[in-house]
Amino acid sequence: MKVSFEWLKELINIKDSADEVAHRLTMIGLEVEAMEQVNDDIVFEVNVTPNRPDCLSIVGIARELSAAYGVAYELPAHDIAAETGELNFNVDILDKELCNRYAGRIVRNVKICESPEWLKKRLEKCNIRPINNVVDATNYVLLEFGHPLHAFDLKTIKGNCIRIGTCRTVKGQAAKIKFKTLDGIEREMPDDSLLIWDAERPIAIAGIMGGIETEVSDYTTDIFIESAYFEPTNIRRTSKSIDLKTESSYRFERGTDIKMLKKALDRAAYLMKETADGEIYGKIDIYPKRYIPPKIQVRYERVNRVLGLKLAKKEILACINKLGLDIEEVDANTFKAKPPTYRRDLKRDADIIEEITRFYGYDRIPAELPKATIGIDSQESRVRGQESKIKNNIKESFLRSGFTEVINYSFMDAKDLDILNIAADDERRCLVDIRNPLRAEDAHMRTTLIPALIKNVIYNLSHGNRELRFFETGRVFINISQDKNSGLPLEKEHVGIIYYHEKSRTLYKDETQVFYIVKGIIEAIFNDLKIYDYSFKRSSEPFLHPGQSADIFIGDNKIGYAGIMSPAIVDILDIKAHRPFIAIAEIDIDRLVPYAMQVVQYRSLPKYPHIERDTALLVDVSLEASALMKWLRSYSSELIDDISIFDVYQGKNIPEGKKSIAFNVRYRASDRTLNDDEIDVVHKSLVAYISEKTKGQLRSS
Amino acid sequence: MEDLKQTFLDEIKSVEGLVDLSNLKIKYLGKKGIITAQLKKLSSIPPADRALFGKKINDIKQFMETEIDVLESRLKGEELKRQLLSDSIDVTLSGKFVSFGREHPINKTLSEITDIFVRMGFSVEEGPEIELDYYNFEALNIPKDHPARDMQDTFYVSPDIVLRTHTSPVQVRVMEKRKPPVRFIAPGKVYRCDADVTHTPMFHQIEGLMVDKGINFSNLKGVLVTFLHHMFGPDTPVRFRPSFFPFTEPSAEIDIGCIICNSSGCRVCKNSGWLEILGAGMVNPRVFEHVGYDPEEYSGFAFGMGIERIAMLKYSIDDIRLFYENDIRFLRQF
């Protein structure tokens, strides 16, 4: 809210400079966010929090400063010395819950023209466009007293009366009502919105905006000024549903001062007399639902307990004695505070304690570290601690493997799933939709991290960056209810990686296939986490190269996939010009973590030496390493300590359709030193077994 | 005998390589060598002189062996060096550089903050990013149709389900599950439908909560000043001023002296010399009522901060959108 320093000083006598006043306001919770020199005035931009509608005016700010400085403030002139005639106008509140008070006054024979300069300037400083002297008077009072008013052209009001109610109460039934506001827009009103009616029709949306048909025009002579208290929730709901926010609705929805409205009404009439030569007639004031502020009981001891202070009763009361509260000392331990009508935010002792703190001064309270209770973490948080260590390990491993971390928005475009050829019945199609997205591309929550990682690569390529390795850890959201009671979707922590590699001139050549680089990193991470029971099986993910991709299992659980991106998708993404290899992988961390929670147990080191044997077999090209390993491991011998494949070869000297696989077997006994003769027998038998299983033959070296 | 030693020394001086040395060794110490021949003479020496002669000949033999060994190892060293130098490479050529990845500046800042609080005994909690309206608003004393909802533009999934607008719902979820004392922080992503130079629709916050018997406003100040001094240096000025959050009362906003201009006034601090860095307050008794804590027995404070803002200040980043463009030239700087 804009506050003119010159205007403020008209109501309260402050000697301090604008800078000092701004600081004072900030330190009592009315943060001055900016100051602007406007001619010979300074305009503050004050951030008024939603709980303090009473500060949305010059009077409100003056009131706070008066409490802070201990200097009295004055209300602007609003006494009506004499009334020219009687009112002769009828007001009927039909919805007393929605309109607790309604007052009005008639001003006749106004001469519509421009407002005087001083008044126009003040409006402009507060970002309100001057219109004419009558409308300006109501806006001026809005800024001054914080109470919104409305001026009707009296002659356009039919039946010399005003009724306040919703369509239901006025007409006896709900009906679609179209209403043209004075901005010229016809609006369809929600059923429960509070309207102002004359004898025949609605003439204003209560608290939000008047109608075009009763607007004050250049030919208006007689005015009906409305000053009312409307229930905030209804105003807010209506304003939201017709998407119309005004200075008036902003104040009504936060709550106005039901007591002040009469003074505001008189002040407007007073100004219309001054600036438009109007003749002030009688007033009507209907106040069916009296507001009685609560009496809030506060214990001195609690004040000190909350703040960590040892203030005497007198000191406590001195903090708030200038805030317009009625203070009643009940007994040695308690007092009661009755807030003024403009402080509806004060309801409970915590509210009063906050006021005490504000005026005691936040900066005067010493900073003291709490005396800590040190206890044992609950089992649950110990598990969580372990989990987060594992997650950190994973992250650290990717960083050390050359992957840079990215963070993408959690949003996703459904079209991205089409590009990846994700099937209709795939879990990743269970999208959580956002009802009010900022852009159509961001209308869903992501179900996979891959589309954004691909976009990261495309973005960087377009900026000339090459050799990209990214990873992201973050949640994906599957629209399957994880908990029947809450109805919240499933959230899973994933890690996604993308490895972009193009053949470029480098000093040192590395011919390793990109798939194996990525797989190697993932295996290294598993080993680091002491996960050994993993396997890679040919994948059928629709966006991966069918020959160079694998699903990743731990035990029988699929936890992710890794592979080369399908060339068809590289084509669609328009990055084929670089002939890149793009490997991607995605792993469900939530599924992985439980496997990594193993307790490490030491095994004693072997006492006796081992003996090694290397063997090369000629097998069908289609034989996978995993099948060979499985058979090798199925050979039963207690002497086998370890088996590994160390060479795979195809080409020269190898028949068409065959490949050579060389493996190493390490033999060891736990109770003695083995001898070569013994092992020759065992190994020969193993080779015979495996040759039969693989239909392979021993390759002569 | 002395002549023999002198001749040996002269000869060994002219030795130029391992081959020469080997020949020299054979000449003196070989099976048919001079010293061996002398030793063979030993039996023909009169017994009286034999001991002395034997000692002399052995001394000279030992002397020669040592001289030869020393020279041999020197020559072998030189030989190896020559050989290795012929295998030399251009050591000024750049290495096969293994470029480590970089942590995203947001997560880097987040870990730094988390570590400080963990050292102060706070545990780390999490909550769902898609949250019930109840936890995001109502349990935090922000009813429907309340203007305080305007403080946070909300993405809706359904009338009752939102993308959480702050990390504060974790407070309620943890308190519902656990009895006091509680002391934790909850970092995470939050969402608001807002996008411009200073706002992104997704950003990060850290929430903190400490509830126990006897926790007061002075403790809130103690913990947060300690944190800020850890984070920004022990001499950083800290200022607490009143503010409003529906779930805390009294509420405070906490400023630090502008670290860009040293409080002398600049564009970043809008010439005020201060930077807003944290929101905080004593937990509103109404929130305790929602989770079944007795506000007479327990009290506590809560705080929250935006990570993007802190990261921007720390690294002098002037456009929040850089965090989510993920340009490798940006990310590599951290």
Side-chain angles (χ1 to χ4, degrees):
Chain A
M1 188 190 58
K2 304 263 191 201
V3 175
S4 148
F5 189 44
E6 157 267 325
W7 194 349
L8 192 61
K9 282 200 286 191
E10 202 174 84
L11 305 188
I12 181 164
N13 185 14
I14 321 172
K15 301 280 188 296
D16 273 4
S17 69
D19 278 335
E20 289 163 330
V21 171
H23 177 249
R24 198 67 175 255
L25 284 171
T26 299
M27 295 311 284
I28 56 170
L30 291 160
E31 186 196 0
V32 176
E33 289 183 318
M35 287 163 72
E36 191 193 352
Q37 184 84 38
V38 181
N39 299 324
D40 51 0
D41 190 13
I42 287 164
V43 178
F44 298 148
E45 178 66 49
V46 182
N47 177 14
V48 180
T49 53
N51 59 327
R52 295 303 304 276
D54 61 298
C55 291
L56 292 169
S57 64
I58 304 292
V59 165
I61 300 286
R63 225 161 22 204
E64 285 285 301
L65 280 177
S66 154
Y69 280 99
V71 172
Y73 74 99
E74 263 174 61
L75 283 181
H78 58 273
D79 281 341
I80 306 295
E83 288 169 357
T84 311
E86 290 197 354
L87 182 78
N88 282 332
F89 194 84
N90 211 22
V91 170
D92 192 3
I93 303 177
L94 298 173
D95 274 292
K96 296 179 176 60
E97 292 301 320
L98 301 184
C99 174
N100 300 165
R101 186 176 188 184
Y102 195 100
R105 203 182 252 292
I106 283 170
V107 179
R108 290 184 193 275
N109 295 320
V110 294
K111 285 151 200 79
I112 302 288
C113 65
E114 276 190 30
S115 292
E117 277 307 308
W118 63 268
L119 194 151
K120 282 202 291 187
K121 268 190 194 152
R122 282 187 172 175
L123 291 183
E124 278 165 351
K125 278 190 276 199
C126 299
N127 285 352
I128 290 187
R129 187 169 52 92
I131 297 175
N132 59 46
N133 46 1
V134 166
V135 174
D136 291 353
T138 60
N139 284 333
Y140 186 86
V141 175
L142 173 136
L143 294 173
E144 201 171 42
F145 282 76
H147 198 94
L149 306 170
H150 186 66
F152 294 97
D153 180 337
L154 180 64
K155 287 182 179 160
T156 63
I157 299 179
K158 294 185 176 157
N160 220 23
C161 74
I162 269 178
R163 296 173 296 164
I164 303 101
T166 59
C167 185
R168 199 183 303 272
T169 49
V170 172
K171 296 205 156 184
Q173 62 185 51
K176 286 253 174 300
I177 289 186
K178 284 191 175 166
F179 181 72
K180 204 172 199 177
T181 40
L182 45 76
D183 53 8
I185 298 169
E186 188 167 69
R187 298 167 192 278
E188 193 168 311
M189 301 307 301
D191 283 346
D192 60 350
S193 53
L194 187 69
L195 300 173
I196 311 297
W197 311 67
D198 63 12
E200 293 173 9
R201 64 202 166 139
I203 55 171
I205 306 171
I208 300 174
M209 194 179 267
I212 200 153
E213 288 176 22
T214 52
E215 186 186 15
V216 173
S217 72
D218 290 351
Y219 312 104
T220 302
T221 54
D222 300 344
I223 305 291
F224 177 78
I225 314 170
E226 165 196 284
S227 183
Y229 180 89
F230 300 117
E231 194 274 318
T233 311
N234 183 273
I235 301 296
R236 182 174 165 82
R237 248 184 240 154
T238 305
S239 156
K240 280 242 149 181
S241 78
I242 62 172
D243 195 21
L244 179 60
K245 255 185 151 183
T246 60
E247 291 280 350
S248 170
S249 70
Y250 190 80
R251 285 168 176 77
F252 278 123
E253 71 175 30
R254 280 162 174 70
T256 51
D257 182 3
I258 202 162
K259 207 169 154 192
M260 182 72 93
L261 68 82
K262 216 168 78 182
K263 292 191 170 100
L265 176 67
D266 286 350
R267 172 71 172 158
Y270 178 95
L271 283 173
M272 285 182 203
K273 185 180 174 204
E274 295 285 303
T275 67
D277 264 351
E279 295 161 4
I280 300 173
Y281 278 66
K283 101 170 131 186
I284 186 163
D285 181 5
I286 303 183
Y287 190 179
K289 199 170 160 23
R290 273 202 178 267
Y291 172 62
I292 300 151
K295 281 188 176 175
I296 305 162
Q297 188 154 318
V298 185
R299 283 163 296 153
Y300 300 105
E301 174 271 331
R302 178 147 181 101
V303 175
N304 282 324
R305 187 143 53 95
V306 170
L307 300 182
L309 295 174
K310 291 191 176 96
L311 297 178
K313 290 183 209 169
K314 255 169 71 183
E315 287 176 281
I316 289 174
L317 296 179
C319 292
I320 49 169
N321 69 356
K322 299 215 169 56
L323 280 173
L325 302 160
D326 279 346
I327 308 280
E328 185 187 318
E329 294 187 53
V330 178
D331 55 37
N333 305 318
T334 42
F335 69 91
K336 277 184 179 171
K338 188 178 144 193
T341 51
Y342 50 85
R343 292 302 304 274
R344 292 203 193 203
D345 60 310
L346 303 180
K347 291 171 192 150
R348 317 211 318 178
D349 59 349
D351 304 316
I352 302 297
I353 293 170
E354 182 170 61
E355 293 305 288
I356 294 165
T357 323
R358 258 187 345 121
F359 286 94
Y360 179 76
Y362 279 36
D363 271 4
R364 284 175 64 199
I365 296 173
E368 195 176 300
L369 284 170
K371 293 183 183 46
T373 321
I374 296 176
I376 299 160
D377 280 352
S378 67
Q379 179 58 18
E380 198 193 333
S381 58
R382 283 169 59 186
V383 169
R384 204 190 314 283
Q386 253 175 305
E387 284 174 355
S388 74
K389 259 190 198 153
I390 292 165
K391 288 176 187 176
N392 263 337
N393 265 3
I394 296 173
K395 217 175 103 161
E396 208 58 43
S397 301
F398 279 115
L399 288 170
R400 291 294 175 219
S401 309
F403 288 81
T404 287
E405 187 182 35
V406 294
I407 301 179
N408 287 295
Y409 292 145
S410 307
F411 310 123
M412 189 176 69
D413 191 344
K415 281 188 203 133
D416 292 338
L417 295 174
D418 300 338
I419 293 175
L420 297 182
N421 291 319
I422 304 284
D425 58 353
D426 192 296
E427 186 186 71
R428 287 167 286 198
R429 289 276 183 188
C430 295
L431 297 174
V432 174
D433 303 336
I434 298 164
R435 291 193 167 194
N436 53 334
L438 285 174
R439 310 182 306 167
E441 307 94 277
D442 295 336
H444 310 283
M445 297 302 277
R446 61 184 177 185
T447 54
T448 158
L449 303 179
I450 297 304
L453 286 167
I454 293 174
K455 283 173 194 168
N456 296 149
V457 164
I458 293 175
Y459 175 93
N460 277 284
L461 288 174
S462 73
H463 288 79
N465 308 329
R466 294 277 192 275
E467 283 302 309
L468 304 164
R469 273 161 287 172
F470 291 132
F471 82 101
E472 176 173 15
T473 54
R475 293 189 194 168
V476 299
F477 306 85
I478 311 290
N479 199 4
I480 303 169
S481 200
Q482 54 171 341
D483 163 0
K484 289 215 165 55
N485 299 323
S486 73
L488 288 177
L490 178 65
E491 297 186 14
K492 299 195 287 183
E493 179 109 338
H494 275 197
V495 59
I497 71 172
I498 192 158
Y499 185 110
Y500 173 93
H501 174 76
E502 59 185 63
K503 279 247 159 71
S504 55
R505 283 183 291 182
T506 52
L507 268 173
Y508 311 103
K509 314 291 177 242
D510 181 358
E511 298 298 329
T512 314
Q513 289 200 39
V514 168
F515 174 82
Y516 292 120
I517 296 176
V518 169
K519 183 183 174 187
I521 292 166
I522 294 170
E523 290 179 298
I525 290 173
F526 287 166
N527 278 294
D528 181 49
L529 297 173
K530 322 278 185 304
I531 297 173
Y532 306 110
D533 183 23
Y534 62 83
S535 54
F536 285 68
K537 297 175 186 168
R538 209 160 278 285
S539 172
S540 52
E541 289 289 0
F543 46 89
L544 296 179
H545 186 311
Q548 299 188 11
S549 62
D551 288 341
I552 306 167
F553 287 81
I554 298 180
D556 295 326
N557 267 326
K558 181 180 165 180
I559 60 147
Y561 56 83
I564 300 298
M565 199 198 293
S566 156
I569 290 169
V570 175
D571 269 4
I572 295 171
L573 297 174
D574 213 19
I575 41 179
K576 61 184 168 186
H578 307 295
R579 306 169 140 270
F581 289 99
I582 303 176
I584 52 185
E586 189 169 18
I587 292 171
D588 184 334
I589 297 185
D590 289 337
R591 279 203 177 169
L592 172 92
V593 162
Y595 294 101
M597 305 278 265
Q598 319 288 353
V599 180
V600 173
Q601 272 198 315
Y602 154 81
R603 277 175 306 171
S604 58
L605 301 178
K607 285 197 182 76
Y608 298 95
H610 65 269
I611 292 179
E612 286 181 88
R613 290 289 180 270
D614 290 347
T615 300
L617 274 185
L618 268 182
V619 295
D620 270 357
V621 268
S622 62
L623 180 81
E624 291 187 339
S626 61
L628 177 68
M629 287 301 286
K630 204 172 122 192
W631 277 319
L632 282 169
R633 290 205 183 102
S634 72
Y635 181 79
S636 127
S637 164
E638 284 184 355
L639 299 177
I640 296 177
D641 187 35
D642 194 25
I643 306 171
S644 61
I645 292 175
F646 67 90
D647 187 52
V648 177
Y649 177 72
Q650 244 177 295
K652 214 177 147 193
N653 297 331
I654 302 290
E656 188 76 7
K658 298 280 178 189
K659 66 181 171 188
S660 156
I661 296 189
F663 59 89
N664 168 282
V665 184
R666 190 179 264 218
Y667 296 94
R668 192 197 304 275
S670 59
D671 54 352
R672 64 201 153 91
T673 302
L674 295 171
N675 63 56
D676 282 334
D677 295 345
E678 185 183 7
I679 290 312
D680 284 344
V681 175
V682 177
H683 191 67
K684 205 171 163 191
S685 153
L686 169 82
V687 170
Y689 173 82
I690 201 67
S691 304
E692 192 216 316
K693 286 289 181 193
T694 58
K695 299 187 182 64
Q697 60 193 116
L698 198 60
R699 193 180 161 209
S700 46
S701 48
Chain B
M1 205 63 88
E2 281 306 311
D3 290 352
L4 187 59
K5 194 175 175 181
Q6 194 51 51
T7 320
F8 172 79
L9 282 174
D10 290 346
E11 280 182 51
I12 203 167
K13 254 179 213 153
S14 57
V15 162
E16 283 190 342
L18 282 165
V19 178
D20 280 2
L21 185 67
S22 171
N23 289 338
L24 185 76
K25 195 174 175 181
I26 292 167
K27 180 177 171 190
Y28 283 92
L29 302 172
K31 278 184 189 155
K32 291 175 181 167
I34 294 168
I35 295 298
T36 322
Q38 291 288 337
L39 277 171
K40 279 178 185 163
K41 275 204 296 190
L42 200 62
S43 55
S44 62
I45 302 289
D49 299 335
R50 202 178 286 168
L52 184 65
F53 181 80
K55 187 182 179 310
K56 274 192 177 169
I57 203 81
N58 262 322
D59 282 354
I60 203 163
K61 185 186 178 200
Q62 224 159 42
F63 170 78
M64 285 176 180
E65 276 172 351
T66 310
E67 284 294 303
I68 287 170
D69 279 354
V70 167
L71 184 61
E72 186 177 15
S73 82
R74 202 185 84 216
L75 288 173
K76 271 190 176 160
E78 280 168 8
E79 172 88 8
L80 183 67
K81 201 171 169 193
R82 254 194 311 280
Q83 212 169 50
L84 291 183
L85 276 175
S86 72
D87 290 341
S88 82
I89 54 170
D90 179 356
V91 296
T92 63
L93 206 56
S94 53
K96 181 167 178 176
F97 183 60
V98 188
S99 162
F100 291 157
R102 301 299 169 95
E103 193 177 16
H104 193 284
I106 291 296
N107 280 336
K108 214 177 160 85
T109 309
L110 205 122
S111 326
E112 197 180 335
I113 297 170
T114 304
D115 286 350
I116 295 172
F117 282 106
V118 167
R119 286 208 298 274
M120 287 198 265
F122 284 71
S123 66
V124 180
E125 300 289 340
E126 284 181 356
E129 290 173 29
I130 302 180
E131 186 53 286
L132 291 176
D133 185 277
Y134 174 78
Y135 286 106
N136 195 75
F137 292 120
E138 286 194 40
L140 292 165
N141 197 30
I142 315 172
K144 281 210 157 75
D145 298 314
H146 194 279
R149 290 210 175 191
D150 287 353
M151 293 164 90
Q152 303 174 354
D153 289 322
T154 312
F155 283 117
Y156 281 91
V157 168
S158 77
D160 300 318
I161 298 177
V162 301
L163 303 192
R164 68 175 177 191
T165 57
H166 47 184
T167 40
S168 308
V170 185
Q171 280 185 31
V172 183
R173 286 187 173 271
V174 171
M175 285 193 283
E176 270 184 353
K177 273 192 306 196
R178 216 180 293 161
K179 291 280 146 246
V182 293
R183 180 169 34 168
F184 68 86
I185 54 165
K189 290 175 177 147
V190 301
Y191 305 86
R192 290 185 198 173
C193 47
D194 205 352
D196 57 41
V197 191
T198 52
H199 297 90
T200 48
M202 182 188 89
F203 56 101
H204 295 74
Q205 280 189 340
I206 287 186
E207 187 78 10
L209 181 74
M210 177 163 189
V211 179
D212 203 346
K213 288 177 183 160
I215 297 294
N216 56 42
F217 195 86
S218 178
N219 299 149
L220 175 158
K221 287 188 73 172
V223 168
L224 294 181
V225 168
T226 304
F227 160 67
L228 290 168
H229 282 174
H230 265 296
M231 190 74 195
F232 295 103
D235 301 322
T236 312
V238 179
R239 174 173 97 166
F240 287 71
R241 57 185 167 78
S243 189
F244 167 71
F245 305 106
F247 41 97
T248 55
E249 195 154 36
S251 299
E253 249 157 18
I254 295 114
D255 302 330
I256 57 168
C258 182
I259 52 175
I260 310 283
C261 63
N262 257 328
S263 302
S264 61
C266 67
R267 192 183 51 84
V268 179
C269 63
K270 292 183 196 158
N271 280 317
S272 70
W274 293 98
L275 296 168
E276 187 183 317
I277 212 93
L278 275 162
M282 299 303 292
V283 179
N284 194 319
R286 279 171 196 250
V287 177
F288 281 158
E289 283 159 18
H290 272 287
V291 298
Y293 283 12
D294 178 1
E296 278 303 311
E297 191 177 358
Y298 293 103
S299 54
F301 60 81
F303 55 89
M305 65 194 110
I307 308 306
E308 275 74 358
R309 178 166 170 78
I310 293 175
M312 286 171 87
L313 291 172
K314 200 170 140 66
Y315 301 114
S316 303
I317 296 166
D318 54 4
D319 186 345
I320 193 170
R321 290 170 297 197
L322 281 166
F323 289 127
Y324 299 105
E325 272 168 4
N326 295 308
D327 191 315
I328 190 82
R329 293 166 299 176
F330 172 76
L331 297 173
R332 267 201 198 124
Q333 295 179 31
F334 303 96

